[in-house]
């Protein structure tokens, strides 16, 4: 009989002064807050008064009644360095939050009442001890991680802080918690390899079992195959004729086949999407390309970087995660990069990506710090890589395994590694080769990329500024304070990170501030800005492009508009370079807590204005304005699987809303980006912008405005917006040119559209879906003139 250990445990610190219930699985900080022992860690500046938690040892205890002592204890996602005792006897010393453990209890268990305790040791103390024991210093990133030495531990790097994350180094258990019969038949692994041919798809299924010696059976697509288990392993082959292929979102459907494995009383279930995927890095005149090919079709990847769904693992749920991923698809994304400073996600995450058609770029969990290469550390790395690759590899969504995030660049970030680069390069190579070896031994068919960014295999070049090969991280606009047009100065083959910050929306800000704190220079607002100089950079950029906002909430609105403009400039330009560029992954999709950041979704999942704008500039068919010398080129892009006839109409529009025709053009858009219309800048008056509309033969439409000068240069007129409200449906009408019209609700929820432009006499109908279906929202309307002009 199995015993589920989820439920109430008792938690106490090493001093005995803090004791409360802990509803496992969860994290200790969530438990302390739920018990009323600490304030909300996300409110105000509470974070700094709660750092003491990670400096102590904490013990969680519960009893379990057993009627059999021949049992095993099964735990996963134990965070992080923990000593597990049963009846006061040590049965496990865990050191890795990214792996699972199975521990025999026969020597310590007893019939009747048994006490299980888990002591979570202070990551601050243990990290310092491990650092001191190394033969040479292995530095962490102090600007990102105010809690030091997290790189000594196999735990999410961002738990120690990041330039968007709270620094609390939480502890707990987040996965399986069971006592199970030791000798019960079980299925440990199911590995699936696909071979595609003209006559269908062949699946080679390798099943690893324990305590089973009979047949292993596989059922899929109406077929059943059985083989005798040989020394714990069974290999089965199934052929599927006329398969329904799995495609990324926007390229086709996502059919999934149910695969059921039976070994005695044990069963396992997988959902399999049939697809071929390849990473193509062919040499060319610019260097080496970087693109994904699915079922023989080259795919332009449009997506974002994923960080943990919450800073506190106890606050993460399958439903919240699914909602965030659904928002990615709703904004026309087809790829998510699971960033290497977080965690390998739960099975439900990859299940959702399979169902939604989101390709997954999967980093291994190493980011920005340097890491040890001692035998003990590499043994833990091998165990975590082996387990997670075996767990995830069957998913149709899985496109790539990447060795780390920015570790090559990090070799140049620290004085010790700059002075002794050879030593630290060898140290890095040992880690990277350990990861690659464990990956290949577990899944020989896996697609491997050594690091992100990287020019390619065995290359340690500067992929932040060299755009000729591999994947690029382009941060010059944000970190170096360059103007948005600097995005047009590079031509990446695949940009896997780039971003620009904004403030969270007012609903999110109200969750962590009192009214007196709603000021960009207030200490509370500054404490929710984790990137050094970030608030000043947001303000400086506003001076460059806009007139100064009148009120705090106007400042918040304008910060989101300029964030959207920055990312739109990058994405539309790089899409216009297709097929030279074949992917853009925005940093970042989501937030871990309410904070100033690069995310397009607020903490909790509400759409910031960037996310609404993303849905437009990631549309399958797009016409974009590309400055080329003394003219503006309207260039058409089509990322869909079929060619489309597209017609574009352009007008010159003055600030008062008066317009004149500039031209009409029509072309068939296939795979490559195509110039559709040239507009000489000399044809525009100083106070004119270009407004263009397009329509595809499949009925899809779009429109945009291109301003040749900063918006602050135009003498905008009052738009005299009117708002007609009918329940949760609204209609917005403008009497003059209205730029970046945004409508806000005073409660969480989602708008059908936002951040749009209106010409005189135009109306736009929208709907709002509140998170609380019984709530009655109040709406606020804003546009560029009302926010920034007297």
């Amino acid at each position: 009989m199995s015993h589920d250990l989820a439920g109430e445990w008792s938690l106490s610190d090493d001093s005995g002064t803090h004791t409360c219930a802990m509803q496992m699985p969860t994290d200790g900080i969530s438990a302390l807050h739920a018990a009323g022992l600490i304030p909300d860690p996300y409110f105000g500046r509470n974070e700094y008064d709660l750092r003491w938690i990670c400096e102590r040892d904490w013990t969680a205890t519960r009893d379990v009644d057993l009627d059999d002592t021949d049992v095993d204890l099964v735990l996963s996602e134990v965070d992080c360095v923990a000593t597990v005792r049963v009846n006061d006897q040590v049965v496990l010393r865990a050191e890795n939050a990214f792996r699972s453990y199975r521990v025999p209890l026969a020597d310590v268990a007893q019939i009747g009442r048994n006490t299980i305790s888990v002591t979570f040791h202070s990551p601050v103390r243990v990290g310092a001890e491990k650092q001191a024991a190394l033969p040479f210093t292995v530095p962490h990133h102090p600007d990102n991680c105010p809690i030091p030495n997290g790189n000594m531990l196999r735990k999410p790097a961002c738990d120690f802080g990041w330039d968007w994350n709270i620094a609390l180094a939480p502890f707990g258990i987040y996965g399986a918690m069971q006592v199970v019969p030791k000798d019960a038949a079980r299925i440990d692994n199911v590995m699936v390899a696909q071979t595609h041919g003209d006559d269908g798809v062949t699946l080679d299924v390798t099943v690893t079992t324990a305590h089973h010696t009979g047949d292993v059976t596989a059922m899929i697509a109406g077929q059943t195959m059985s083989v005798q288990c040989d020394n714990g392993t069974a290999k089965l082959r199934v052929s599927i004729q006329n398969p329904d292929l799995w495609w990324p979102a926007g390229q086709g459907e996502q059919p999934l086949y149910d695969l059921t494995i039976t070994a005695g009383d044990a069963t396992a279930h997988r959902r399999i999407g049939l697809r071929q995927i390849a990473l193509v890095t062919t040499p060319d005149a610019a260097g080496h390309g970087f693109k994904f090919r699915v079922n023989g079709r080259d795919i332009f990847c449009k997506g974002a970087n994923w960080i943990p769904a919450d800073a506190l693992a106890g606050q993460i749920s399958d439903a919240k995660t699914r909602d965030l991923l659904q928002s990615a698809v709703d904004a026309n994304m087809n790829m998510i990069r699971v960033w290497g400073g977080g965690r390998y996600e739960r099975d439900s995450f990859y299940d959702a990506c399979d169902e939604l058609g989101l390709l997954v770029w999967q980093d291994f969990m190493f980011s920005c710090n340097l890491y040890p290469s001692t035998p003990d550390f590499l043994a833990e790395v091998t165990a975590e890589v082996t387990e997670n690759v075996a767990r995830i590899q069957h998913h149709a969504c899985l496109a790539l395994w990447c060795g780390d995030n920015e570790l090559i660049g990090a070799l140049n970030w620290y004085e010790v590694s700059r002075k002794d680069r050879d030593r630290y390069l060898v140290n890095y190579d040992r880690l990277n080769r350990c990861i690659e070896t464990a990956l290949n031994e577990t899944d020989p068919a896996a697609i491997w990329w050594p690091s992100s960014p990287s020019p390619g295999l065995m290359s340690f070049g500067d992929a932040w500024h060299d755009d000729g090969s591999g994947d690029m991280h382009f941060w010059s606009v944000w970190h170096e304070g360059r103007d948005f047009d600097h995005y047009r100065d590079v031509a990446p083959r695949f940009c896997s990170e780039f971003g620009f910050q904004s403030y969270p929306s007012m609903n999110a800000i109200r969750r962590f501030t009192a009214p007196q704190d709603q000021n960009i220079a207030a200490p509370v607002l500054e404490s929710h800005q984790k990137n050094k100089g970030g608030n000043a950079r947001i303000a400086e950029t506003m001076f460059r492009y806009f007139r100064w906002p009148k009120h705090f909430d106007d400042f918040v609105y304008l910060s989101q508009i300029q964030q959207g403009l920055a990312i739109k400039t990058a994405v539309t330009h790089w899409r216009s370079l297709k097929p030279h560029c074949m992917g853009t992954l925005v940093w970042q999709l989501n937030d871990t807590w309410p904070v100033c950041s690069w995310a397009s979704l607020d903490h909790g999942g509400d759409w910031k204005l960037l996310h609404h704008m993303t849905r437009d500039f990631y549309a399958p068919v797009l016409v974009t304005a590309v400055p080329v010398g003394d003219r503006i080129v309207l260039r058409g892009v089509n990322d869909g699987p079929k060619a489309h006839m597209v017609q574009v109409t352009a007008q010159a529009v003055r600030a008062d809303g008066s317009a004149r025709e500039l031209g009409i053009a029509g072309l068939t858009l296939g795979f490559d980006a195509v110039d559709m219309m040239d507009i000489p800048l000399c044809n525009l008056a100083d106070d004119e912008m270009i407004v263009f509309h397009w329509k595809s033969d499949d009925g899809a439409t779009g429109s945009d405005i291109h301003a040749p000068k900063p918006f602050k240069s135009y003498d905008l007129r009052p738009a005299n917006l009117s708002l007609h409200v009918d329940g949760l449906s609204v209609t917005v009408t403008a009497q003059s040119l209205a730029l970046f019209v945004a409508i806000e609700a005073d409660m969480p929820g989602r708008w059908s559209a936002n951040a749009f432009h209106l010409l005189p006499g135009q109306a736009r109908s929208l709907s709002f879906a509140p998170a609380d279906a019984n709530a009655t929202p109040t709406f606020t309307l804003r546009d560029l003139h009302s926010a920034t002009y007297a």
Side-chain angles (χ1 to χ4, degrees), residues 484 520 535-549 555 558 562 710-713:
F484 296 167
I520 62 173
N535 288 348
R537 199 165 296 123
I538 290 172
E540 178 186 3
T541 304
M542 283 188 188
F543 277 120
R544 183 180 295 163
Y545 291 107
F546 301 102
R547 302 186 187 190
W548 193 247
F555 181 91
L558 197 58
Q562 73 176 14
F711 284 100
K712 67 181 183 181
S713 303

PDB file of all heavy atoms in Angstrom, residues 484 520 535-549 555 558 562 710-713:
ATOM      1  N   PHE A 484      16.360  53.086 -30.105  1.00  0.00           N
ATOM      2  CA  PHE A 484      15.657  51.919 -30.638  1.00  0.00           C
ATOM      3  C   PHE A 484      16.140  51.560 -32.034  1.00  0.00           C
ATOM      4  O   PHE A 484      16.156  50.377 -32.414  1.00  0.00           O
ATOM      5  CB  PHE A 484      14.146  52.161 -30.661  1.00  0.00           C
ATOM      6  CG  PHE A 484      13.522  52.337 -29.292  1.00  0.00           C
ATOM      7  CD1 PHE A 484      12.228  52.830 -29.174  1.00  0.00           C
ATOM      8  CD2 PHE A 484      14.217  52.022 -28.133  1.00  0.00           C
ATOM      9  CE1 PHE A 484      11.632  53.001 -27.934  1.00  0.00           C
ATOM     10  CE2 PHE A 484      13.638  52.187 -26.884  1.00  0.00           C
ATOM     11  CZ  PHE A 484      12.343  52.682 -26.786  1.00  0.00           C
ATOM     12  N   ILE A 520       8.013  57.264  -8.855  1.00  0.00           N
ATOM     13  CA  ILE A 520       9.128  56.498  -9.416  1.00  0.00           C
ATOM     14  C   ILE A 520      10.385  56.571  -8.567  1.00  0.00           C
ATOM     15  O   ILE A 520      11.270  55.725  -8.686  1.00  0.00           O
ATOM     16  CB  ILE A 520       9.447  56.944 -10.859  1.00  0.00           C
ATOM     17  CG1 ILE A 520       9.868  58.416 -10.901  1.00  0.00           C
ATOM     18  CG2 ILE A 520       8.288  56.663 -11.778  1.00  0.00           C
ATOM     19  CD1 ILE A 520      10.359  58.865 -12.272  1.00  0.00           C
ATOM     20  N   ASN A 535      15.378  52.295 -13.465  1.00  0.00           N
ATOM     21  CA  ASN A 535      14.390  53.381 -13.446  1.00  0.00           C
ATOM     22  C   ASN A 535      14.894  54.607 -14.188  1.00  0.00           C
ATOM     23  O   ASN A 535      14.156  55.273 -14.920  1.00  0.00           O
ATOM     24  CB  ASN A 535      14.042  53.748 -12.006  1.00  0.00           C
ATOM     25  CG  ASN A 535      13.196  52.692 -11.331  1.00  0.00           C
ATOM     26  OD1 ASN A 535      12.686  51.789 -11.980  1.00  0.00           O
ATOM     27  ND2 ASN A 535      13.043  52.797 -10.022  1.00  0.00           N
ATOM     28  N   ALA A 536      16.171  54.919 -14.008  1.00  0.00           N
ATOM     29  CA  ALA A 536      16.747  56.073 -14.711  1.00  0.00           C
ATOM     30  C   ALA A 536      16.754  55.834 -16.216  1.00  0.00           C
ATOM     31  O   ALA A 536      16.523  56.766 -17.005  1.00  0.00           O
ATOM     32  CB  ALA A 536      18.166  56.329 -14.210  1.00  0.00           C
ATOM     33  N   ARG A 537      16.994  54.590 -16.622  1.00  0.00           N
ATOM     34  CA  ARG A 537      17.031  54.296 -18.060  1.00  0.00           C
ATOM     35  C   ARG A 537      15.641  54.420 -18.680  1.00  0.00           C
ATOM     36  O   ARG A 537      15.495  54.903 -19.797  1.00  0.00           O
ATOM     37  CB  ARG A 537      17.607  52.898 -18.274  1.00  0.00           C
ATOM     38  CG  ARG A 537      18.106  52.659 -19.694  1.00  0.00           C
ATOM     39  CD  ARG A 537      18.976  51.415 -19.749  1.00  0.00           C
ATOM     40  NE  ARG A 537      20.187  51.601 -18.953  1.00  0.00           N
ATOM     41  CZ  ARG A 537      20.547  50.805 -17.944  1.00  0.00           C
ATOM     42  NH1 ARG A 537      19.787  49.783 -17.616  1.00  0.00           N
ATOM     43  NH2 ARG A 537      21.653  51.043 -17.273  1.00  0.00           N
ATOM     44  N   ILE A 538      14.617  53.986 -17.949  1.00  0.00           N
ATOM     45  CA  ILE A 538      13.253  54.154 -18.436  1.00  0.00           C
ATOM     46  C   ILE A 538      12.941  55.639 -18.606  1.00  0.00           C
ATOM     47  O   ILE A 538      12.404  56.072 -19.639  1.00  0.00           O
ATOM     48  CB  ILE A 538      12.255  53.495 -17.463  1.00  0.00           C
ATOM     49  CG1 ILE A 538      12.385  51.961 -17.510  1.00  0.00           C
ATOM     50  CG2 ILE A 538      10.814  53.898 -17.807  1.00  0.00           C
ATOM     51  CD1 ILE A 538      11.571  51.245 -16.443  1.00  0.00           C
ATOM     52  N   ALA A 539      13.286  56.439 -17.598  1.00  0.00           N
ATOM     53  CA  ALA A 539      13.004  57.875 -17.659  1.00  0.00           C
ATOM     54  C   ALA A 539      13.810  58.555 -18.750  1.00  0.00           C
ATOM     55  O   ALA A 539      13.294  59.408 -19.489  1.00  0.00           O
ATOM     56  CB  ALA A 539      13.307  58.510 -16.299  1.00  0.00           C
ATOM     57  N   GLU A 540      15.085  58.201 -18.876  1.00  0.00           N
ATOM     58  CA  GLU A 540      15.927  58.802 -19.903  1.00  0.00           C
ATOM     59  C   GLU A 540      15.375  58.522 -21.299  1.00  0.00           C
ATOM     60  O   GLU A 540      15.374  59.409 -22.173  1.00  0.00           O
ATOM     61  CB  GLU A 540      17.345  58.234 -19.789  1.00  0.00           C
ATOM     62  CG  GLU A 540      18.305  58.755 -20.846  1.00  0.00           C
ATOM     63  CD  GLU A 540      19.655  58.055 -20.790  1.00  0.00           C
ATOM     64  OE1 GLU A 540      19.813  57.136 -19.967  1.00  0.00           O
ATOM     65  OE2 GLU A 540      20.546  58.432 -21.573  1.00  0.00           O
ATOM     66  N   THR A 541      14.884  57.309 -21.495  1.00  0.00           N
ATOM     67  CA  THR A 541      14.318  56.966 -22.803  1.00  0.00           C
ATOM     68  C   THR A 541      13.074  57.784 -23.089  1.00  0.00           C
ATOM     69  O   THR A 541      12.836  58.201 -24.233  1.00  0.00           O
ATOM     70  CB  THR A 541      14.014  55.463 -22.864  1.00  0.00           C
ATOM     71  OG1 THR A 541      15.207  54.728 -22.568  1.00  0.00           O
ATOM     72  CG2 THR A 541      13.511  55.061 -24.240  1.00  0.00           C
ATOM     73  N   MET A 542      12.269  58.037 -22.076  1.00  0.00           N
ATOM     74  CA  MET A 542      11.080  58.868 -22.272  1.00  0.00           C
ATOM     75  C   MET A 542      11.458  60.249 -22.769  1.00  0.00           C
ATOM     76  O   MET A 542      10.807  60.806 -23.667  1.00  0.00           O
ATOM     77  CB  MET A 542      10.288  58.966 -20.973  1.00  0.00           C
ATOM     78  CG  MET A 542       9.479  57.739 -20.643  1.00  0.00           C
ATOM     79  SD  MET A 542       8.417  58.050 -19.224  1.00  0.00           S
ATOM     80  CE  MET A 542       7.810  56.392 -18.933  1.00  0.00           C
ATOM     81  N   PHE A 543      12.504  60.833 -22.189  1.00  0.00           N
ATOM     82  CA  PHE A 543      12.953  62.144 -22.651  1.00  0.00           C
ATOM     83  C   PHE A 543      13.354  62.100 -24.120  1.00  0.00           C
ATOM     84  O   PHE A 543      13.197  63.082 -24.852  1.00  0.00           O
ATOM     85  CB  PHE A 543      14.154  62.617 -21.817  1.00  0.00           C
ATOM     86  CG  PHE A 543      13.784  63.274 -20.524  1.00  0.00           C
ATOM     87  CD1 PHE A 543      14.209  62.752 -19.321  1.00  0.00           C
ATOM     88  CD2 PHE A 543      13.008  64.430 -20.500  1.00  0.00           C
ATOM     89  CE1 PHE A 543      13.874  63.361 -18.120  1.00  0.00           C
ATOM     90  CE2 PHE A 543      12.671  65.045 -19.314  1.00  0.00           C
ATOM     91  CZ  PHE A 543      13.102  64.508 -18.111  1.00  0.00           C
ATOM     92  N   ARG A 544      13.864  60.956 -24.562  1.00  0.00           N
ATOM     93  CA  ARG A 544      14.342  60.845 -25.941  1.00  0.00           C
ATOM     94  C   ARG A 544      13.186  60.807 -26.933  1.00  0.00           C
ATOM     95  O   ARG A 544      13.290  61.349 -28.033  1.00  0.00           O
ATOM     96  CB  ARG A 544      15.185  59.573 -26.068  1.00  0.00           C
ATOM     97  CG  ARG A 544      15.802  59.362 -27.447  1.00  0.00           C
ATOM     98  CD  ARG A 544      16.613  58.080 -27.460  1.00  0.00           C
ATOM     99  NE  ARG A 544      17.757  58.160 -26.554  1.00  0.00           N
ATOM    100  CZ  ARG A 544      18.441  57.102 -26.117  1.00  0.00           C
ATOM    101  NH1 ARG A 544      18.068  55.895 -26.478  1.00  0.00           N
ATOM    102  NH2 ARG A 544      19.465  57.260 -25.309  1.00  0.00           N
ATOM    103  N   TYR A 545      12.068  60.184 -26.559  1.00  0.00           N
ATOM    104  CA  TYR A 545      11.012  59.923 -27.538  1.00  0.00           C
ATOM    105  C   TYR A 545       9.695  60.655 -27.271  1.00  0.00           C
ATOM    106  O   TYR A 545       8.903  60.837 -28.197  1.00  0.00           O
ATOM    107  CB  TYR A 545      10.722  58.421 -27.591  1.00  0.00           C
ATOM    108  CG  TYR A 545      11.854  57.628 -28.192  1.00  0.00           C
ATOM    109  CD1 TYR A 545      12.666  56.831 -27.406  1.00  0.00           C
ATOM    110  CD2 TYR A 545      12.130  57.699 -29.560  1.00  0.00           C
ATOM    111  CE1 TYR A 545      13.713  56.114 -27.962  1.00  0.00           C
ATOM    112  CE2 TYR A 545      13.165  56.986 -30.126  1.00  0.00           C
ATOM    113  CZ  TYR A 545      13.961  56.189 -29.314  1.00  0.00           C
ATOM    114  OH  TYR A 545      14.993  55.493 -29.871  1.00  0.00           O
ATOM    115  N   PHE A 546       9.430  61.038 -26.008  1.00  0.00           N
ATOM    116  CA  PHE A 546       8.110  61.535 -25.661  1.00  0.00           C
ATOM    117  C   PHE A 546       8.197  62.813 -24.832  1.00  0.00           C
ATOM    118  O   PHE A 546       9.234  63.113 -24.239  1.00  0.00           O
ATOM    119  CB  PHE A 546       7.342  60.479 -24.838  1.00  0.00           C
ATOM    120  CG  PHE A 546       7.164  59.170 -25.533  1.00  0.00           C
ATOM    121  CD1 PHE A 546       7.964  58.082 -25.209  1.00  0.00           C
ATOM    122  CD2 PHE A 546       6.202  59.005 -26.523  1.00  0.00           C
ATOM    123  CE1 PHE A 546       7.805  56.864 -25.842  1.00  0.00           C
ATOM    124  CE2 PHE A 546       6.032  57.799 -27.156  1.00  0.00           C
ATOM    125  CZ  PHE A 546       6.842  56.721 -26.822  1.00  0.00           C
ATOM    126  N   ARG A 547       7.101  63.531 -24.786  1.00  0.00           N
ATOM    127  CA  ARG A 547       6.961  64.583 -23.793  1.00  0.00           C
ATOM    128  C   ARG A 547       6.674  63.932 -22.440  1.00  0.00           C
ATOM    129  O   ARG A 547       6.164  62.820 -22.370  1.00  0.00           O
ATOM    130  CB  ARG A 547       5.838  65.539 -24.209  1.00  0.00           C
ATOM    131  CG  ARG A 547       6.117  66.148 -25.577  1.00  0.00           C
ATOM    132  CD  ARG A 547       5.121  67.210 -25.995  1.00  0.00           C
ATOM    133  NE  ARG A 547       5.365  67.632 -27.378  1.00  0.00           N
ATOM    134  CZ  ARG A 547       4.778  68.665 -27.961  1.00  0.00           C
ATOM    135  NH1 ARG A 547       3.900  69.400 -27.273  1.00  0.00           N
ATOM    136  NH2 ARG A 547       5.059  68.975 -29.213  1.00  0.00           N
ATOM    137  N   TRP A 548       7.019  64.644 -21.392  1.00  0.00           N
ATOM    138  CA  TRP A 548       6.990  64.024 -20.064  1.00  0.00           C
ATOM    139  C   TRP A 548       5.547  63.788 -19.600  1.00  0.00           C
ATOM    140  O   TRP A 548       4.676  64.641 -19.752  1.00  0.00           O
ATOM    141  CB  TRP A 548       7.718  64.914 -19.051  1.00  0.00           C
ATOM    142  CG  TRP A 548       8.001  64.198 -17.765  1.00  0.00           C
ATOM    143  CD1 TRP A 548       7.465  64.448 -16.549  1.00  0.00           C
ATOM    144  CD2 TRP A 548       8.890  63.096 -17.598  1.00  0.00           C
ATOM    145  NE1 TRP A 548       7.956  63.586 -15.621  1.00  0.00           N
ATOM    146  CE2 TRP A 548       8.842  62.730 -16.238  1.00  0.00           C
ATOM    147  CE3 TRP A 548       9.723  62.370 -18.455  1.00  0.00           C
ATOM    148  CZ2 TRP A 548       9.584  61.678 -15.708  1.00  0.00           C
ATOM    149  CZ3 TRP A 548      10.473  61.331 -17.935  1.00  0.00           C
ATOM    150  CH2 TRP A 548      10.403  60.986 -16.586  1.00  0.00           C
ATOM    151  N   PRO A 549       5.277  62.611 -19.039  1.00  0.00           N
ATOM    152  CA  PRO A 549       3.911  62.312 -18.585  1.00  0.00           C
ATOM    153  C   PRO A 549       3.494  63.182 -17.409  1.00  0.00           C
ATOM    154  O   PRO A 549       4.328  63.659 -16.623  1.00  0.00           O
ATOM    155  CB  PRO A 549       4.001  60.834 -18.180  1.00  0.00           C
ATOM    156  CG  PRO A 549       5.453  60.595 -17.907  1.00  0.00           C
ATOM    157  CD  PRO A 549       6.204  61.485 -18.828  1.00  0.00           C
ATOM    158  N   PHE A 555       2.886  57.891 -16.336  1.00  0.00           N
ATOM    159  CA  PHE A 555       4.259  57.407 -16.453  1.00  0.00           C
ATOM    160  C   PHE A 555       4.275  55.889 -16.652  1.00  0.00           C
ATOM    161  O   PHE A 555       5.020  55.366 -17.495  1.00  0.00           O
ATOM    162  CB  PHE A 555       5.053  57.790 -15.209  1.00  0.00           C
ATOM    163  CG  PHE A 555       6.486  57.356 -15.232  1.00  0.00           C
ATOM    164  CD1 PHE A 555       7.470  58.194 -15.739  1.00  0.00           C
ATOM    165  CD2 PHE A 555       6.861  56.117 -14.752  1.00  0.00           C
ATOM    166  CE1 PHE A 555       8.804  57.800 -15.764  1.00  0.00           C
ATOM    167  CE2 PHE A 555       8.180  55.707 -14.777  1.00  0.00           C
ATOM    168  CZ  PHE A 555       9.159  56.555 -15.283  1.00  0.00           C
ATOM    169  N   LEU A 558       3.111  55.153 -20.163  1.00  0.00           N
ATOM    170  CA  LEU A 558       4.091  55.502 -21.182  1.00  0.00           C
ATOM    171  C   LEU A 558       5.288  54.552 -21.147  1.00  0.00           C
ATOM    172  O   LEU A 558       5.879  54.242 -22.190  1.00  0.00           O
ATOM    173  CB  LEU A 558       4.559  56.941 -20.988  1.00  0.00           C
ATOM    174  CG  LEU A 558       5.257  57.588 -22.184  1.00  0.00           C
ATOM    175  CD1 LEU A 558       4.363  57.583 -23.410  1.00  0.00           C
ATOM    176  CD2 LEU A 558       5.699  59.002 -21.841  1.00  0.00           C
ATOM    177  N   GLN A 562       6.587  52.634 -24.532  1.00  0.00           N
ATOM    178  CA  GLN A 562       7.937  52.667 -25.085  1.00  0.00           C
ATOM    179  C   GLN A 562       8.574  51.274 -25.060  1.00  0.00           C
ATOM    180  O   GLN A 562       9.368  50.937 -25.940  1.00  0.00           O
ATOM    181  CB  GLN A 562       8.803  53.691 -24.376  1.00  0.00           C
ATOM    182  CG  GLN A 562       9.263  53.361 -22.991  1.00  0.00           C
ATOM    183  CD  GLN A 562      10.202  54.451 -22.457  1.00  0.00           C
ATOM    184  OE1 GLN A 562      10.314  55.546 -23.000  1.00  0.00           O
ATOM    185  NE2 GLN A 562      10.886  54.144 -21.367  1.00  0.00           N
ATOM    186  N   PRO A 710      10.822  61.350 -33.509  1.00  0.00           N
ATOM    187  CA  PRO A 710      10.283  61.028 -32.184  1.00  0.00           C
ATOM    188  C   PRO A 710       8.896  61.627 -32.001  1.00  0.00           C
ATOM    189  O   PRO A 710       8.599  62.724 -32.492  1.00  0.00           O
ATOM    190  CB  PRO A 710      11.296  61.661 -31.227  1.00  0.00           C
ATOM    191  CG  PRO A 710      12.560  61.738 -32.004  1.00  0.00           C
ATOM    192  CD  PRO A 710      12.144  62.008 -33.423  1.00  0.00           C
ATOM    193  N   PHE A 711       8.042  60.933 -31.291  1.00  0.00           N
ATOM    194  CA  PHE A 711       6.668  61.394 -31.129  1.00  0.00           C
ATOM    195  C   PHE A 711       6.602  62.749 -30.437  1.00  0.00           C
ATOM    196  O   PHE A 711       5.651  63.513 -30.648  1.00  0.00           O
ATOM    197  CB  PHE A 711       5.861  60.347 -30.347  1.00  0.00           C
ATOM    198  CG  PHE A 711       5.489  59.150 -31.177  1.00  0.00           C
ATOM    199  CD1 PHE A 711       6.220  57.971 -31.081  1.00  0.00           C
ATOM    200  CD2 PHE A 711       4.427  59.193 -32.063  1.00  0.00           C
ATOM    201  CE1 PHE A 711       5.884  56.867 -31.849  1.00  0.00           C
ATOM    202  CE2 PHE A 711       4.084  58.096 -32.840  1.00  0.00           C
ATOM    203  CZ  PHE A 711       4.825  56.927 -32.738  1.00  0.00           C
ATOM    204  N   LYS A 712       7.577  63.071 -29.611  1.00  0.00           N
ATOM    205  CA  LYS A 712       7.544  64.364 -28.924  1.00  0.00           C
ATOM    206  C   LYS A 712       7.646  65.532 -29.906  1.00  0.00           C
ATOM    207  O   LYS A 712       7.322  66.672 -29.551  1.00  0.00           O
ATOM    208  CB  LYS A 712       8.684  64.442 -27.909  1.00  0.00           C
ATOM    209  CG  LYS A 712      10.089  64.480 -28.502  1.00  0.00           C
ATOM    210  CD  LYS A 712      11.161  64.540 -27.422  1.00  0.00           C
ATOM    211  CE  LYS A 712      12.558  64.644 -28.005  1.00  0.00           C
ATOM    212  NZ  LYS A 712      13.598  64.685 -26.950  1.00  0.00           N
ATOM    213  N   SER A 713       8.094  65.249 -31.160  1.00  0.00           N
ATOM    214  CA  SER A 713       8.272  66.308 -32.156  1.00  0.00           C
ATOM    215  C   SER A 713       6.956  66.748 -32.784  1.00  0.00           C
ATOM    216  O   SER A 713       6.909  67.785 -33.456  1.00  0.00           O
ATOM    217  CB  SER A 713       9.208  65.823 -33.268  1.00  0.00           C
ATOM    218  OG  SER A 713      10.450  65.405 -32.746  1.00  0.00           O
TER     219      SER A 713
END
